[in-house]
Amino acid sequence: MENLKSKKLIGYYGFPERSVLRSVRERFGSDLEFIDLDVARGAPDSMVIQSTTCRIIANIVDNAMELSKRLTAIVADVGEGKCDRGRYAAFLLRKTGFNVIESRFPPEQFEKRPLVYSTAEGSLAERVDRIMQTVIQSPSSVNQTRACEPTHGFWGVPPHDFRILDIFPPTTHIYGWTRCVEAGSPGDLEMECYVDENVPTVFFTQSFCAKQDLAHHLAEKYDGLFVDCHRDVNNSILSKVEAFIKLSYPSR
Amino acid sequence: MKLADCGSTWTKILDVESDSLEIITTREMVRRNGSPFAVATGHSAEKRCGIFKNELLALAEGGLSFVDKDDFSIVDVGGRDIKYIRFKGRKVKKIDWNLACGATTGVTIELLANYYEIDFSSLESVDSWINVTCGVFGMERVLESVSNGESPGRSVAEFIHGMVRNVFNFTQRPSELYLSGGFCDNKCFLDSMDKYCKVIPLGRAVLIEGLKNEIKY
Ligand code: SF4
């Protein structure tokens, strides 16, 4: 796994409340680094989770098993901002012996942060990555960016395989759960369903995720493209997205 | 100069100079291992051509050159995938491409037809259908129906009708639909589709037509 050999860490997944993250650090050591367990980090298959489950949940469990004793604690997003699978994963990880601290991020805590990366021009993969870093970074650490008019949209969660993001043009705006994360409002369903009507948008979900229902509905409503992907993206999925990007244009 | 649409089962090759279209199995095309095509599209084409064109782009351009209406829907039902485009004002309004599910593709029908030696030229469409939620489950229903005494022809026609319903839904239930691909020659498929919308078969060379723009300059 990444250059993390023996340091003690605090794992987290989804978007835990900032106050919970803060208090966990105060309790276990302010020098402990956070590590996002949602992300594919090359951990071997722990076989704890069945194969027909969302790949992000499998990443969480596989990463936790691989890091094992180095994880002082796991801060688990078990609220509406994540999903039932996230809640069950917390349960399973606790049963396996991890010190799991749950977070729910209720609507009273929604932050309404300004959208910077979601509407900026630049590499989509980098912007999605930066948005996910804002979960543990203060807003002041946001880098300078330039806003742009969208030519395309990407709706969804950060994918397991980021290669799908590389084919989008830099003028792609970000919608869905990832946008909610940047706004500091991870369970805001209204914001999650928002897209710019005239912008051709790819509605992406991981396979076996309940967000497929939402993505399918929105793709029908806005003439977008619904794409779901389980593990790594394949050429067929890339070709489909590539064709959509080439053939569609904003109708302004 | 040769243009080719190399699908998963069939390969269509156009000789531009003689304007002749040859249709062979993709297995045969791979076996021939001839010189690369000038321009090609399709599942098996990427490593066998000078210029590779995305299939959906080929369908879009081919559709526009075959159909002169402003607003229309076109679907290409292949062996392994189904591609759909709706045009508004001759601009793409909606696209979709299903590459994974056998519920809307030809491969299961070919398997059934070969197994039961069905002659599609004489197979009548039927009003009843099998729910083809999944190609494999649908095939199982056919096998079961035959073992329960139904004729293979009728069972396969019910399967085709079930698949047609999926294609109709996939294409957002249009009143008129242009069809590309091998099913243009399948009367049972066309008659089943006619129960839902007006279907206009364009034949098997729509994607090849969409490649021609690559050699114009
Ligand atoms: S992708 Fe869907 S199922 Fe998977 S962790 Fe995220 S919300 Fe849950």
Side-chain angles (χ1 to χ4, degrees):
Chain A
M1 294 186 65
E2 285 175 345
N3 53 358
L4 307 158
K5 293 277 184 278
S6 58
K7 271 195 299 183
K8 288 279 188 189
L9 301 159
I10 298 170
Y12 69 94
Y13 62 83
F15 191 167
E17 288 167 68
R18 295 186 205 280
S19 58
V20 175
L21 288 170
R22 253 194 324 272
S23 73
V24 167
R25 239 189 180 161
E26 279 161 15
R27 191 167 139 207
F28 294 104
S30 54
D31 56 328
L32 292 190
E33 263 178 43
F34 283 118
I35 182 165
D36 186 353
L37 299 176
D38 294 287
V39 177
R41 297 177 184 279
D45 185 351
S46 63
M47 317 252 268
V48 171
I49 295 274
Q50 54 161 344
S51 60
T52 49
T53 198
C54 155
R55 193 57 226 167
I56 304 297
I57 295 294
N59 287 346
I60 293 166
V61 175
D62 292 350
N63 284 331
M65 294 299 168
E66 171 76 350
L67 291 164
S68 179
K69 296 219 161 8
R70 293 181 50 208
L71 288 177
T72 302
I74 296 175
V75 188
D77 179 353
V78 297
E80 285 183 17
K82 190 75 172 169
C83 58
D84 272 352
R85 291 211 143 120
R87 199 156 58 86
Y88 299 146
F91 174 81
L92 295 174
L93 289 168
R94 184 175 290 125
K95 288 279 172 216
T96 320
F98 287 96
N99 184 10
V100 177
I101 292 120
E102 294 187 349
S103 162
R104 288 194 157 70
F105 217 129
E108 309 85 76
Q109 307 244 355
F110 287 173
E111 295 167 343
K112 309 237 172 335
R113 283 186 181 189
L115 297 171
V116 179
Y117 295 124
S118 296
T119 53
E121 182 167 0
S123 150
L124 178 60
E126 256 172 49
R127 285 184 289 129
V128 169
D129 195 38
R130 291 255 168 89
I131 287 174
M132 295 320 296
Q133 284 171 25
T134 65
V135 171
I136 50 164
Q137 279 173 358
S138 68
S140 58
S141 55
V142 166
N143 289 8
Q144 282 302 309
T145 54
R146 199 163 60 91
C148 70
E149 280 295 308
T151 59
H152 294 83
F154 170 82
W155 180 100
V157 298
H160 164 76
D161 184 346
F162 264 46
R163 282 177 303 166
I164 194 169
L165 303 180
D166 292 338
I167 48 180
F168 285 81
T171 44
T172 301
H173 277 194
I174 298 167
Y175 304 96
W177 188 80
T178 313
R179 189 182 185 100
C180 295
V181 169
E182 180 166 31
S185 311
D188 184 341
L189 187 55
E190 204 173 312
M191 177 180 263
E192 188 166 5
C193 290
Y194 171 80
V195 290
D196 286 305
E197 251 182 69
N198 302 320
V199 175
T201 298
V202 174
F203 293 86
F204 170 84
T205 70
Q206 293 297 143
S207 306
F208 310 110
C209 169
K211 289 186 193 297
Q212 283 181 304
D213 296 343
L214 213 51
H216 180 261
H217 162 74
L218 294 170
E220 290 289 303
K221 182 170 175 189
Y222 296 111
D223 287 329
L225 182 71
F226 169 49
V227 176
D228 77 305
C229 177
H230 185 29
R231 287 171 172 262
D232 294 346
V233 285
N234 55 29
N235 280 343
S236 302
I237 292 174
L238 293 176
S239 306
K240 174 170 163 171
V241 176
E242 180 199 42
F244 178 77
I245 289 170
K246 284 196 176 148
L247 288 170
S248 49
Y249 53 92
S251 51
R252 271 190 284 270
Chain B
M1 181 188 292
K2 289 192 169 150
L3 311 182
D5 168 12
C6 311
S8 50
T9 318
W10 296 97
T11 289
K12 287 73 79 181
I13 304 167
L14 179 77
D15 186 314
V16 178
E17 282 77 28
S18 64
D19 199 27
S20 60
L21 184 70
E22 183 186 22
I23 299 179
I24 57 174
T25 62
T26 295
R27 199 175 47 226
E28 166 68 9
M29 182 274 290
V30 170
R31 196 191 58 72
R32 282 186 195 173
N33 197 18
S35 50
F37 305 111
V39 189
T41 187
H43 189 59
S44 316
E46 200 149 1
K47 302 270 178 322
R48 299 186 167 90
C49 59
I51 300 172
F52 176 76
K53 187 155 185 158
N54 184 306
E55 288 158 78
L56 211 46
L57 299 179
L59 177 65
E61 288 176 31
L64 284 170
S65 85
F66 268 88
V67 182
D68 58 11
K69 287 187 179 157
D70 285 345
D71 304 341
F72 65 97
S73 295
I74 183 166
V75 67
D76 179 88
V77 185
R80 219 197 71 154
D81 68 349
I82 174 169
K83 297 177 271 291
Y84 160 65
I85 305 178
R86 174 157 51 87
F87 291 92
K88 190 154 195 276
R90 297 190 72 74
K91 295 244 158 68
V92 172
K93 181 72 180 148
K94 170 86 182 168
I95 73 164
D96 210 345
W97 192 355
N98 184 347
L99 303 121
C101 176
T104 49
T105 60
V107 66
T108 36
I109 289 183
E110 281 202 25
L111 286 171
L112 285 168
N114 288 340
Y115 184 65
Y116 289 118
E117 297 178 341
I118 305 284
D119 175 7
F120 282 125
S121 62
S122 58
L123 186 66
E124 294 292 331
S125 70
V126 290
D127 285 337
S128 52
W129 67 84
I130 285 172
N131 265 332
V132 189
T133 320
C134 153
V136 176
F137 291 166
M139 274 206 321
E140 255 174 40
R141 296 280 304 273
V142 171
L143 299 177
E144 194 181 310
S145 154
V146 174
S147 67
N148 285 339
E150 189 56 87
S151 76
R154 184 173 175 93
S155 302
V156 170
E158 284 187 334
F159 181 97
I160 290 177
H161 188 164
M163 183 193 150
V164 157
R165 289 170 60 86
N166 293 345
V167 172
F168 180 59
N169 278 324
F170 185 77
T171 54
Q172 304 183 296
R173 301 170 158 257
S175 53
E176 185 180 84
L177 184 61
Y178 287 90
L179 177 69
S180 149
F183 281 107
C184 289
D185 303 327
N186 186 314
K187 189 174 169 307
C188 181
F189 184 95
L190 296 175
D191 289 347
S192 302
M193 191 58 108
D194 253 340
K195 298 179 201 296
Y196 297 91
C197 65
K198 183 178 170 201
V199 58
I200 302 152
L202 297 176
R204 302 176 81 169
V206 180
L207 271 74
I208 292 247
E209 188 65 31
L211 301 180
K212 287 183 178 168
N213 282 341
E214 304 298 324
I215 53 164
K216 277 188 179 152
Y217 306 104

